[in-house]
């Protein structure tokens, strides 16, 4: 690991009425300035001499204590430069460069005899800064009333946004100017089983494009022991301000020094592709804290899951009753509903399928007692995570799976009853270890217990942290659904392999997902970390299952393939049911082939809300995979293969929308062709409305060169 | 066990506009009537033809669902009579009679197609009733908005009351007519570290005396999975109404059928002594549910505790710092404050003292890391319950204690961080088992975490239940402080050996305890179960420790002895520090001799707020003990010893206030005499202001008859 750190020490005990200090990014393109004027600290950020953030205030208000907003003087300024490389356990790149110039300003509030420190790091791709609260006589414990950090934007940016909320980010995105947000606010959310919409609030990661062409992404990094951030919009002045998630009593954080806020992150570039390539958020997280990581492996999986969303294909519950007392209700005496999907026979079918096609694992939802009344009752003792239904043989199925080189993925739906989950957590993890499970999908559907807490409040942020760090003690990987947004914590705890925390494929079966959704998610939700989006739906129209069911997944079949490349995650599901894959074995081949962990990534082209094309090189291999997607508009992608090896010729298998493909009328129209390509090849590829393309590239064998004649 | 149960079946499908049904107590002195009029159910209660409760409404309101208040018709009425005896594991009596007539009314709400059942039990000493919610199509889950049970009193009763609260009952009592409550409400509470006063609210057990001379006690029994009750007072109409404790969101109970409310209890008599003798609340609790009880033993103990309340005598904390991170702060590097009381040397001194004087156990508070900043910060990870301070050797001290036949009592101060306690509970209990601890004193000082929950809310009621039932799994006894009021649960879970849940002796060192306090507590707090009041303070004046400290315990020394008899608990502390007992060895002899578990109890005389005299017979022995106390007024107790064995002569050792004794000026003035008494003896005994007397009675030996000449 190359590592260069240069320290500098600034001026001590400054007490002029205005003090300013500026630093630049290593490449000089970003210029950041800190200022203190009349005791009030602020900052601003320029990119190539264009304003990204105008002068913006810093500070916090506290409960029952004077604010940390004004009356400050600069006590100390320190600068530092870092240029180092590090290797993620799983990721989009083999090596990530962490290169920044840092300014650490110690602010003294003389009247209260208190000090805080604001640490700024300027990277080539953006700015990160956080508040640090040293232990001191007059600041041991404090309660945050609100964080008052401003992001004063340069103008009426275009934004890809969802409504601010304390409990869910499972919304479709709205694209509008900031000034248009108030009028269109109601488009930014819809009914959810747990939600607390923030008036004038927007969620982060928030993707924006300025009127002078800068792409700006706002989020937070290393959210550990703090309430998650939304931003409040002043749509007249284009100022955003942090809005933390309160607890049941309105408090926004219980702090004990020494401690710090998460990093506030601003990723910026004049190229949209740079936003997707940015690893700034990961760089602001701590290095891996796990003592060993050899048990953390990428996972491609199938599962007993999607069928429960399809009409007449199965249920989570075992019996059609509506009142279960765990440990009291005797399931052997209930009448089975005959639709329970997590039964021995069906699970074995999935294990066989996974083994045959090279998948690592099979997720099984609905395996345990309690699904009959798990939902909507604020029921605390809703699951025990260790008691299977009568038709699910834990021991037999795990042994069967392992005999075929496959693992079952455990499922812990908590029903948002976090107190209950904490009571059972150790028992549940030990149960997993005893039966050979390696990974768990957890879920937090519904309103949180402790009642009054929120999915994004500090207590829950700590709960998720407790869950995945405790899982690490048992060498278990966690894929958490309905949690707070990710903030790059998988650098530090790579066993937190993926999360949902956005509107995923399942919403296609509820109120729908916009065709542009997956062209936005990499610019928003995925900035924080991998998403278990569950792509791979081949049978998009639900009238296939039930003639009068008009629902359909707003995608072509091929776009579903492309998502394995465009939606980064080291844990990827082939979500559709077995029969549908068996109907399209040639298209399914791409899912079988595609990697989920990478040595390199090239963001070829991208515009939020419109299109994305990405190429990735499989971890430890010479194979490349390319995925391209578009929104509801057809388009033609044009790009070259300059990312390939200098001298090699590759066989490209190109999975393309058929000429008549359309996500509404002809989603399953596709064409597959094999061609030879080199570094110099260029491709012009049509994508259907909400379509895509996917390419697998393998170095050509002598045989290939003989048999494949087509070239690009 | 004698058991007689007679069933009766009432009339089916009644739908008259008014239906009434009345039943009497087994002795015919109480008459209870249920009525339904215009769909609204109500009840009333008479005692010897005097009204105790006038016609009073029944029912509940629900959140987001129609109320269970009206539109009812009687579907079924069943009557039953029970007369049985049972034996408590620990208690005031060897055998308790459970004798009642029952009326169970099934109420049908046709419009909602719902049913509830109200079960009434009329005993000779009062009424108990509860709501039962059967599982049914239209009532599986519901959330209580409020319970609307009324207690319409017959007039302007005198009451001994404290202000209603969701978090604490650590108040001095006010004695007033109900009509005077509003004007005097502020006397009914004072500042507490966690409190939420209910306007017009009064706490139960509420003791009252009607204008026609009836003593009436209102409370609840078998509070298991429900919010605790306060009552709201309509001081114009003398109507009390249930007021349940809300959670953080204002909900008052999350219910899943089948389920029930606690019992609402009205104990009534024209003799105050009958109130203290009543076991109605115990009778309404379920029989013991523990598989074994041979490990549940009465405990008389001393402890490293009171000295921390005395000036300059010691501290809980080890170091004088104000910011501890458990598991991070290295105590070995902190400077000890030299006042830490739970050190090896001091604990051994207490073990030696306990062994020498026949005590069962030594409580040690402040043994574990975290006391430096445990308080007032809403700190969640405040203690881990397993990490001792550097100067407390867990293994050595436990082995030392056990070698002397003594056990150390564990201390778990949770700081009201219940979520943290639940995380550590199993670890903490296992730690106790591993080191030979048999009992734990737990504490809940401060505002509850989960934040917004209350000490009396349903979640916390279930938490306490979880704590003592889990302790039972490890065969551990629990003595819980700062919890919800007791409701007779120690019948069902006798390992829940005692609790505080009222203003105990420690308050003498804060803002003081009224001299009458201990003449009221048996009529209020103790109706629900044993209290760890921690009597036995011999050194009542604090200028003994520090010349300018004017605080004093408002009691004579002898009154402290009497409390061991008047304040029933199978767990009793001799709370004072060793030196003070060594200064008064003759008086200390009573504490050494007195039993804490009993075969029989006679309430000799009593008037709430004025005086109490009780005689009790030691479990499995012929020894009797008598205790008498008075309020701030001196008095003369006159009673006979008719409770004694017919033919035996006893040696009575009488511990009396000295002639000049006074709780302010001469608290330590006392006289001890030995006399012979028989069943026919009569005693006239003076009690000083806030004084008392204590008598131990042993069957006289031949030697006694020779040497003791004095007789009563």
């Amino acid at each position: 690991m190359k590592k260069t750190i240069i320290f500098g020490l600034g001026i001590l005990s400054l007490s002029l009425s205005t003090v300013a200090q500026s630093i630049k990014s290593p490449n000089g393109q970003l210029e950041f300035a800190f200022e203190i004027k009349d005791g009030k600290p602020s900052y601003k950020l320029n990119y190539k001499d264009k304003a990204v953030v105008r002068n913006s205030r810093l500070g916090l208000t506290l409960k029952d204590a004077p604010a940390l907003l004004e009356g400050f003087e600069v006590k100390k300024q320190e600068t530092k430069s870092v240029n180092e490389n590090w290797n993620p356990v799983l990721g989009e790149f083999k090596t990530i460069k962490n290169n920044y110039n840092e300014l650490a300003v110690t602010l003294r509030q003389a009247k209260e005899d208190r000090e805080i420190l604001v640490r700024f790091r300027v990277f080539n791709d953006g700015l990160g800064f956080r508040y640090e609260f040293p232990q001191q006589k007059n600041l041991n414990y404090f309660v945050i009333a609100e964080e008052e950090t401003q992001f004063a934007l340069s103008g009426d940016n275009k934004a890809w946004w969802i409504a601010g909320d304390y409990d869910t980010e499972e919304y479709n995105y709205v694209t509008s100017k900031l000034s248009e947000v108030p009028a269109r606010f109601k488009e930014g959310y819809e009914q959810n089983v747990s939600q607390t919409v923030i008036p004038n609030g927007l969620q982060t990661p928030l993707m924006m494009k300025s009127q002078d062409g800068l792409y700006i992404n706002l989020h937070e990094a290393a959210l550990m022991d703090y309430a998650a951030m939304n931003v409040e919009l002043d749509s007249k002045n284009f100022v955003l301000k942090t809005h933390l998630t309160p607890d049941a009593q309105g408090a926004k954080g219980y702090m004990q020094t020494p401690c710090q806020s998460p990093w506030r992150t601003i990723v910026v570039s004049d190229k949209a592709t740079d936003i997707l390539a940015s690893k700034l958020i990961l760089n602001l997280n701590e290095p891996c804290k796990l003592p060993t990581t050899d048990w953390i492996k990428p996972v491609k999986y199938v599962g007993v899951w999607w069928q429960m969303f399809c009409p007449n294909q199965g249920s989570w519950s075992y019996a059609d009753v509506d009142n279960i007392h765990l440990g009291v209700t005797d399931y052997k005496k209930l009448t089975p509903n005959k639709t329970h999907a997590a039964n021995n026979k069906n699970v074995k079918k999935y294990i066989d399928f996974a083994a045959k096609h090279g998948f690592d694992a099979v997720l099984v939802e609905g395996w345990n007692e309690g699904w009959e009344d798990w939902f909507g009752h604020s029921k605390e003792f809703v699951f025990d995570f260790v008691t299977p239904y009568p038709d699910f043989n834990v021991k037999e199925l795990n042994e069967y799976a392992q005999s075929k080189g496959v693992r079952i993925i455990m499922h812990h739906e908590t029903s948002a009853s976090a107190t209950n989950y904490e009571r059972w957590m150790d028992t549940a993890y030990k149960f997993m270890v005893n039966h050979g499970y390696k990974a768990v999908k957890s879920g937090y559907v519904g309103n949180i217990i402790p009642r009054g807490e929120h999915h994004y409040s500090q207590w829950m942020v700590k709960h998720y942290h407790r869950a995945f760090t405790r899982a690490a003690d048992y060498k278990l990987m966690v894929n958490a659904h309905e949690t707070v947004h990710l903030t790059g914590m998988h650098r530090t705890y790579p066993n937190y392999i993926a999360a949902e925390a956005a509107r995923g494929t399942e919403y296609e079966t509820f109120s729908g997902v916009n065709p542009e959704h997956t062209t936005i998610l990499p610019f928003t939700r995925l900035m924080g970390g991998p998403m278990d989006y569950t792509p791979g739906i081949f049978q998009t129209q639900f009238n296939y299952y039930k003639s009068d069911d008009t629902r359909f997944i707003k995608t072509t079949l091929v776009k579903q393939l492309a998502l394995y490349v465009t939606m980064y995650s080291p844990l990827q599901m082939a979500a559709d049911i077995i029969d549908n894959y068996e109907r399209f074995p040639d298209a399914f081949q791409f899912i079988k082939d595609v990697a989920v962990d990478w040595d390199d990534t090239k963001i070829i082209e991208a515009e939020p809300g419109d299109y994305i094309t990405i190429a990735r090189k499989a971890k430890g291999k010479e194979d490349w995979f390319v995925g391209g997607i578009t929104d509801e508009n057809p388009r033609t992608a044009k790009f070259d293969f300059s990312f390939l090896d200098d001298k090699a010729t590759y066989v490209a298998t190109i999975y393309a929308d058929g000429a008549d493909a359309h996500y509404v009328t002809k989603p399953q129209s596709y064409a597959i062709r094999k061609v030879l390509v080199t570094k110099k090849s260029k491709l012009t590829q049509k994508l259907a409305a909400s379509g895509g393309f996917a390419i697998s590239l393998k170095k050509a064998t002598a045989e290939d060169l003989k048999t494949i004649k087509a070239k690009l």
Side-chain angles (χ1 to χ4, degrees), chain A residues 97-130:
Chain A
K97 175 182 274 206
N98 182 30
N99 184 17
Y100 61 82
N101 293 325
E102 176 176 296
L103 171 66
V105 185
T106 300
L107 296 170
R108 180 174 151 73
Q109 205 177 28
K111 190 179 164 200
E112 309 297 338
D113 190 15
R114 296 187 300 194
E115 287 180 17
I116 64 171
L117 185 149
V118 193
R119 189 178 302 276
F120 303 92
R121 289 183 180 167
V122 188
F123 300 79
N124 289 338
D125 49 351
L127 168 69
F129 63 92
R130 71 176 182 186

Tab-separated table of all heavy atoms in Angstrom, chain A residues 97-130:
chain	number	residue	atom	x	y	z
A	97	LYS	N	-7.837	4.554	-4.629
A	97	LYS	CA	-6.919	5.621	-4.229
A	97	LYS	C	-7.624	6.580	-3.271
A	97	LYS	O	-8.753	7.003	-3.534
A	97	LYS	CB	-6.418	6.394	-5.462
A	97	LYS	CG	-5.560	7.605	-5.104
A	97	LYS	CD	-5.108	8.377	-6.330
A	97	LYS	CE	-3.842	7.766	-6.892
A	97	LYS	NZ	-3.047	8.760	-7.645
A	98	ASN	N	-6.942	6.871	-2.195
A	98	ASN	CA	-7.466	7.814	-1.206
A	98	ASN	C	-6.513	8.996	-1.169
A	98	ASN	O	-5.440	8.926	-0.579
A	98	ASN	CB	-7.533	7.125	0.172
A	98	ASN	CG	-8.102	8.030	1.244
A	98	ASN	OD1	-8.919	8.898	0.966
A	98	ASN	ND2	-7.663	7.832	2.481
A	99	ASN	N	-6.908	10.066	-1.820
A	99	ASN	CA	-5.982	11.170	-2.040
A	99	ASN	C	-6.702	12.480	-1.744
A	99	ASN	O	-7.659	12.838	-2.426
A	99	ASN	CB	-5.507	11.132	-3.503
A	99	ASN	CG	-4.467	12.198	-3.803
A	99	ASN	OD1	-3.865	12.767	-2.898
A	99	ASN	ND2	-4.266	12.462	-5.079
A	100	TYR	N	-6.252	13.167	-0.702
A	100	TYR	CA	-6.941	14.407	-0.325
A	100	TYR	C	-6.004	15.359	0.396
A	100	TYR	O	-4.958	14.961	0.911
A	100	TYR	CB	-8.162	14.100	0.553
A	100	TYR	CG	-7.838	13.405	1.859
A	100	TYR	CD1	-7.407	14.127	2.987
A	100	TYR	CD2	-7.961	12.025	1.981
A	100	TYR	CE1	-7.118	13.474	4.170
A	100	TYR	CE2	-7.673	11.368	3.162
A	100	TYR	CZ	-7.244	12.101	4.260
A	100	TYR	OH	-6.943	11.469	5.436
A	101	ASN	N	-6.427	16.609	0.437
A	101	ASN	CA	-5.797	17.610	1.292
A	101	ASN	C	-6.773	17.953	2.405
A	101	ASN	O	-7.961	18.136	2.155
A	101	ASN	CB	-5.441	18.864	0.500
A	101	ASN	CG	-4.348	18.580	-0.527
A	101	ASN	OD1	-3.459	17.765	-0.271
A	101	ASN	ND2	-4.456	19.216	-1.693
A	102	GLU	N	-6.247	18.011	3.599
A	102	GLU	CA	-7.126	18.176	4.763
A	102	GLU	C	-6.849	19.482	5.495
A	102	GLU	O	-5.712	19.904	5.632
A	102	GLU	CB	-6.910	16.999	5.728
A	102	GLU	CG	-7.712	17.121	7.026
A	102	GLU	CD	-7.557	15.906	7.926
A	102	GLU	OE1	-7.981	14.802	7.524
A	102	GLU	OE2	-6.986	16.076	9.024
A	103	LEU	N	-7.934	20.084	5.968
A	103	LEU	CA	-7.834	21.234	6.874
A	103	LEU	C	-8.656	20.894	8.115
A	103	LEU	O	-9.850	20.578	8.015
A	103	LEU	CB	-8.412	22.492	6.210
A	103	LEU	CG	-8.575	23.725	7.119
A	103	LEU	CD1	-7.217	24.257	7.577
A	103	LEU	CD2	-9.376	24.818	6.404
A	104	ALA	N	-7.998	20.937	9.262
A	104	ALA	CA	-8.697	20.683	10.528
A	104	ALA	C	-8.684	21.966	11.344
A	104	ALA	O	-7.628	22.467	11.709
A	104	ALA	CB	-8.023	19.558	11.297
A	105	VAL	N	-9.865	22.511	11.589
A	105	VAL	CA	-9.983	23.796	12.281
A	105	VAL	C	-10.538	23.565	13.680
A	105	VAL	O	-11.642	23.034	13.833
A	105	VAL	CB	-10.935	24.746	11.521
A	105	VAL	CG1	-10.947	26.122	12.186
A	105	VAL	CG2	-10.544	24.846	10.056
A	106	THR	N	-9.788	23.937	14.674
A	106	THR	CA	-10.287	23.865	16.051
A	106	THR	C	-10.931	25.196	16.393
A	106	THR	O	-10.284	26.250	16.318
A	106	THR	CB	-9.146	23.555	17.035
A	106	THR	OG1	-8.571	22.305	16.670
A	106	THR	CG2	-9.669	23.461	18.462
A	107	LEU	N	-12.215	25.136	16.745
A	107	LEU	CA	-12.984	26.337	17.037
A	107	LEU	C	-13.223	26.414	18.535
A	107	LEU	O	-13.673	25.444	19.152
A	107	LEU	CB	-14.336	26.279	16.313
A	107	LEU	CG	-14.271	26.280	14.790
A	107	LEU	CD1	-15.641	25.977	14.208
A	107	LEU	CD2	-13.768	27.636	14.300
A	108	ARG	N	-12.940	27.561	19.087
A	108	ARG	CA	-13.135	27.745	20.521
A	108	ARG	C	-14.272	28.717	20.761
A	108	ARG	O	-14.348	29.784	20.159
A	108	ARG	CB	-11.842	28.285	21.136
A	108	ARG	CG	-11.956	28.514	22.631
A	108	ARG	CD	-10.631	28.907	23.257
A	108	ARG	NE	-10.905	29.739	24.425
A	108	ARG	CZ	-11.397	29.266	25.565
A	108	ARG	NH1	-11.651	27.975	25.695
A	108	ARG	NH2	-11.648	30.081	26.583
A	109	GLN	N	-15.181	28.322	21.648
A	109	GLN	CA	-16.299	29.166	22.038
A	109	GLN	C	-15.957	29.679	23.437
A	109	GLN	O	-16.169	28.976	24.431
A	109	GLN	CB	-17.576	28.311	22.062
A	109	GLN	CG	-18.863	29.057	21.865
A	109	GLN	CD	-20.041	28.098	21.835
A	109	GLN	OE1	-20.004	27.027	22.441
A	109	GLN	NE2	-21.106	28.476	21.149
A	110	ALA	N	-15.391	30.862	23.485
A	110	ALA	CA	-14.794	31.342	24.741
A	110	ALA	C	-15.831	31.446	25.846
A	110	ALA	O	-15.597	31.052	26.986
A	110	ALA	CB	-14.123	32.699	24.509
A	111	LYS	N	-16.993	31.960	25.513
A	111	LYS	CA	-18.013	32.213	26.530
A	111	LYS	C	-18.388	30.921	27.263
A	111	LYS	O	-18.615	30.924	28.468
A	111	LYS	CB	-19.248	32.824	25.853
A	111	LYS	CG	-20.275	33.339	26.838
A	111	LYS	CD	-21.468	33.952	26.118
A	111	LYS	CE	-22.635	34.097	27.076
A	111	LYS	NZ	-23.901	34.219	26.360
A	112	GLU	N	-18.484	29.828	26.525
A	112	GLU	CA	-18.883	28.554	27.132
A	112	GLU	C	-17.667	27.707	27.504
A	112	GLU	O	-17.828	26.624	28.061
A	112	GLU	CB	-19.766	27.751	26.157
A	112	GLU	CG	-20.946	28.506	25.568
A	112	GLU	CD	-21.938	28.939	26.628
A	112	GLU	OE1	-21.943	28.309	27.721
A	112	GLU	OE2	-22.682	29.904	26.396
A	113	ASP	N	-16.489	28.206	27.148
A	113	ASP	CA	-15.268	27.442	27.358
A	113	ASP	C	-15.396	26.041	26.755
A	113	ASP	O	-15.209	25.028	27.415
A	113	ASP	CB	-14.926	27.374	28.860
A	113	ASP	CG	-13.529	26.793	29.087
A	113	ASP	OD1	-12.754	26.714	28.116
A	113	ASP	OD2	-13.234	26.405	30.227
A	114	ARG	N	-15.775	26.043	25.474
A	114	ARG	CA	-15.927	24.759	24.770
A	114	ARG	C	-15.169	24.815	23.448
A	114	ARG	O	-14.995	25.889	22.868
A	114	ARG	CB	-17.413	24.482	24.456
A	114	ARG	CG	-18.273	24.305	25.658
A	114	ARG	CD	-19.674	23.861	25.267
A	114	ARG	NE	-20.350	24.815	24.395
A	114	ARG	CZ	-21.657	24.785	24.133
A	114	ARG	NH1	-22.421	23.843	24.677
A	114	ARG	NH2	-22.205	25.681	23.343
A	115	GLU	N	-14.792	23.663	22.967
A	115	GLU	CA	-14.130	23.579	21.665
A	115	GLU	C	-14.763	22.490	20.815
A	115	GLU	O	-15.149	21.441	21.330
A	115	GLU	CB	-12.645	23.205	21.843
A	115	GLU	CG	-11.790	24.321	22.379
A	115	GLU	CD	-10.340	23.888	22.537
A	115	GLU	OE1	-9.949	22.859	21.946
A	115	GLU	OE2	-9.617	24.584	23.259
A	116	ILE	N	-14.867	22.768	19.541
A	116	ILE	CA	-15.159	21.696	18.593
A	116	ILE	C	-14.143	21.792	17.466
A	116	ILE	O	-13.410	22.786	17.359
A	116	ILE	CB	-16.594	21.763	18.012
A	116	ILE	CG1	-16.794	23.033	17.184
A	116	ILE	CG2	-17.622	21.681	19.140
A	116	ILE	CD1	-18.116	23.045	16.416
A	117	LEU	N	-14.089	20.749	16.669
A	117	LEU	CA	-13.168	20.737	15.545
A	117	LEU	C	-13.973	20.401	14.293
A	117	LEU	O	-14.842	19.537	14.341
A	117	LEU	CB	-12.079	19.690	15.808
A	117	LEU	CG	-10.935	19.576	14.802
A	117	LEU	CD1	-9.651	19.123	15.513
A	117	LEU	CD2	-11.245	18.609	13.677
A	118	VAL	N	-13.706	21.121	13.210
A	118	VAL	CA	-14.315	20.756	11.941
A	118	VAL	C	-13.197	20.302	11.008
A	118	VAL	O	-12.203	21.012	10.823
A	118	VAL	CB	-15.098	21.923	11.296
A	118	VAL	CG1	-15.967	21.397	10.154
A	118	VAL	CG2	-15.968	22.632	12.329
A	119	ARG	N	-13.353	19.084	10.496
A	119	ARG	CA	-12.314	18.499	9.656
A	119	ARG	C	-12.830	18.434	8.218
A	119	ARG	O	-13.900	17.890	7.963
A	119	ARG	CB	-11.966	17.093	10.159
A	119	ARG	CG	-10.743	16.463	9.511
A	119	ARG	CD	-10.436	15.081	10.091
A	119	ARG	NE	-10.226	15.093	11.528
A	119	ARG	CZ	-9.061	15.384	12.116
A	119	ARG	NH1	-7.998	15.667	11.378
A	119	ARG	NH2	-8.953	15.368	13.435
A	120	PHE	N	-12.081	19.058	7.325
A	120	PHE	CA	-12.449	19.105	5.903
A	120	PHE	C	-11.430	18.314	5.091
A	120	PHE	O	-10.228	18.467	5.303
A	120	PHE	CB	-12.447	20.550	5.387
A	120	PHE	CG	-13.351	21.474	6.148
A	120	PHE	CD1	-12.878	22.216	7.233
A	120	PHE	CD2	-14.687	21.622	5.777
A	120	PHE	CE1	-13.710	23.074	7.926
A	120	PHE	CE2	-15.528	22.488	6.478
A	120	PHE	CZ	-15.041	23.215	7.553
A	121	ARG	N	-11.930	17.500	4.170
A	121	ARG	CA	-11.023	16.788	3.269
A	121	ARG	C	-11.434	17.079	1.839
A	121	ARG	O	-12.582	16.828	1.451
A	121	ARG	CB	-11.071	15.276	3.524
A	121	ARG	CG	-10.417	14.909	4.847
A	121	ARG	CD	-10.380	13.419	5.080
A	121	ARG	NE	-9.736	13.164	6.367
A	121	ARG	CZ	-9.751	12.001	6.998
A	121	ARG	NH1	-10.382	10.961	6.453
A	121	ARG	NH2	-9.148	11.857	8.161
A	122	VAL	N	-10.498	17.626	1.064
A	122	VAL	CA	-10.790	17.971	-0.328
A	122	VAL	C	-10.105	16.960	-1.236
A	122	VAL	O	-8.878	16.831	-1.244
A	122	VAL	CB	-10.307	19.402	-0.670
A	122	VAL	CG1	-10.810	19.789	-2.061
A	122	VAL	CG2	-10.802	20.396	0.365
A	123	PHE	N	-10.932	16.184	-1.923
A	123	PHE	CA	-10.468	15.170	-2.872
A	123	PHE	C	-10.587	15.754	-4.292
A	123	PHE	O	-11.233	16.794	-4.477
A	123	PHE	CB	-11.351	13.924	-2.801
A	123	PHE	CG	-11.388	13.253	-1.460
A	123	PHE	CD1	-12.177	13.759	-0.421
A	123	PHE	CD2	-10.669	12.089	-1.229
A	123	PHE	CE1	-12.235	13.122	0.812
A	123	PHE	CE2	-10.732	11.447	0.002
A	123	PHE	CZ	-11.508	11.968	1.021
A	124	ASN	N	-10.074	15.045	-5.246
A	124	ASN	CA	-10.279	15.475	-6.643
A	124	ASN	C	-11.748	15.369	-7.041
A	124	ASN	O	-12.202	16.051	-7.955
A	124	ASN	CB	-9.439	14.638	-7.601
A	124	ASN	CG	-7.956	14.968	-7.476
A	124	ASN	OD1	-7.595	16.057	-7.004
A	124	ASN	ND2	-7.106	14.030	-7.857
A	125	ASP	N	-12.482	14.488	-6.365
A	125	ASP	CA	-13.888	14.272	-6.736
A	125	ASP	C	-14.868	14.871	-5.743
A	125	ASP	O	-16.070	14.604	-5.833
A	125	ASP	CB	-14.181	12.784	-6.955
A	125	ASP	CG	-13.678	11.899	-5.833
A	125	ASP	OD1	-12.939	12.411	-4.957
A	125	ASP	OD2	-14.022	10.709	-5.814
A	126	GLY	N	-14.381	15.698	-4.808
A	126	GLY	CA	-15.351	16.332	-3.932
A	126	GLY	C	-14.818	16.663	-2.547
A	126	GLY	O	-13.604	16.596	-2.294
A	127	LEU	N	-15.744	17.017	-1.694
A	127	LEU	CA	-15.418	17.482	-0.344
A	127	LEU	C	-16.123	16.605	0.679
A	127	LEU	O	-17.285	16.224	0.496
A	127	LEU	CB	-15.907	18.929	-0.175
A	127	LEU	CG	-15.915	19.512	1.243
A	127	LEU	CD1	-14.486	19.723	1.746
A	127	LEU	CD2	-16.693	20.830	1.276
A	128	GLY	N	-15.421	16.290	1.751
A	128	GLY	CA	-16.052	15.680	2.919
A	128	GLY	C	-15.693	16.484	4.150
A	128	GLY	O	-14.556	16.973	4.256
A	129	PHE	N	-16.635	16.666	5.042
A	129	PHE	CA	-16.282	17.343	6.305
A	129	PHE	C	-17.165	16.821	7.424
A	129	PHE	O	-18.255	16.310	7.191
A	129	PHE	CB	-16.392	18.862	6.190
A	129	PHE	CG	-17.785	19.378	5.914
A	129	PHE	CD1	-18.631	19.738	6.955
A	129	PHE	CD2	-18.240	19.516	4.611
A	129	PHE	CE1	-19.905	20.224	6.708
A	129	PHE	CE2	-19.516	19.990	4.353
A	129	PHE	CZ	-20.357	20.352	5.397
A	130	ARG	N	-16.636	16.911	8.623
A	130	ARG	CA	-17.416	16.463	9.778
A	130	ARG	C	-17.078	17.304	11.001
A	130	ARG	O	-16.051	17.979	11.058
A	130	ARG	CB	-17.170	14.987	10.072
A	130	ARG	CG	-15.790	14.685	10.631
A	130	ARG	CD	-15.652	13.204	10.985
A	130	ARG	NE	-14.360	12.912	11.564
A	130	ARG	CZ	-13.934	11.680	11.853
A	130	ARG	NH1	-14.701	10.628	11.609
A	130	ARG	NH2	-12.745	11.490	12.381
